[in-house]
Amino acid sequence: MIAVQEEDFNVAELYQALLVANKTGAVAMFVGLVREFSDLAPEDCAFELEHYPGMTEHNLQSIVDDAKSRWALQEVCVVHRVGRLSVNDQIVFVGVSSSHRAEAFQACDFIMDYLKSRAAFWKKETQGDHAQWVEANEKDSASLDRWS
């Protein structure tokens, strides 16, 4: 399952969707939250995500397909929120199930690394009256090297 949506997601429901009766031996999940990025009060800050509908989902599907070609996965779920978010809001869910924990951990890590660098999302931080688009992070790009 791949979803790009404004509404929040329920981690317990997404976890249940990853289970394959009598076959799942491991589930690895990552939930990303909007963290504090300013000295201002959290209510004076916002995080906005925009995306290119169609292209974003295509990017996410390519990342999931690549993960499935590397590891024996049962189910994969990626949910990414867009729109205006506040500090502590859930922003992304990545979950994978497999027969074994090593594959689940590696695939979840791989998907997050590629999602951060290759998915078509644009982020803007607003602090009071000031807003700025967030530039690509070298650290996130460097994380991709370990998967080559």
Side-chain angles (χ1 to χ4, degrees):
M1 174 181 129
I2 292 172
V4 178
Q5 62 192 43
E6 288 191 20
E7 59 274 355
D8 200 5
F9 51 84
N10 182 307
V11 174
E13 289 176 7
L14 296 173
Y15 168 77
Q16 288 298 317
L18 292 168
L19 302 178
V20 176
N22 302 320
K23 296 192 188 276
T24 299
V27 173
M29 299 182 300
F30 173 83
V31 178
L33 306 172
V34 178
R35 67 179 175 274
E36 196 171 279
F37 54 85
S38 170
D39 292 336
L40 297 176
E43 60 270 12
D44 293 329
C45 299
F47 192 73
E48 292 181 59
L49 280 110
E50 293 184 9
H51 76 296
Y52 193 119
M55 178 188 287
T56 305
E57 292 85 353
H58 178 76
N59 291 151
L60 295 174
Q61 186 63 58
S62 293
I63 294 166
V64 168
D65 290 346
D66 195 1
K68 286 180 174 181
S69 75
R70 292 170 182 247
W71 297 279
L73 305 178
Q74 295 167 347
E75 296 291 336
V76 177
C77 179
V78 177
V79 178
H80 205 298
R81 293 181 66 197
V82 293
R84 188 175 177 92
L85 302 172
S86 299
V87 173
N88 296 321
D89 283 350
Q90 296 181 135
I91 188 171
V92 63
F93 175 92
V94 172
V96 300
S97 61
S98 67
S99 296
H100 305 285
R101 67 179 160 83
E103 291 176 324
F105 278 129
Q106 290 171 351
C108 190
D109 196 20
F110 171 89
I111 291 168
M112 271 309 305
D113 277 350
Y114 273 79
L115 187 150
K116 290 278 290 179
S117 299
R118 300 280 168 88
F121 291 103
W122 295 273
K123 303 170 189 174
K124 182 169 60 171
E125 295 176 350
T126 303
Q127 302 172 38
D129 293 334
H130 177 70
Q132 72 178 28
W133 291 101
V134 177
E135 296 291 325
N137 184 326
E138 276 187 46
K139 182 180 171 186
D140 291 335
S141 295
S143 292
L144 298 181
D145 292 342
R146 65 190 171 123
W147 302 111
S148 298

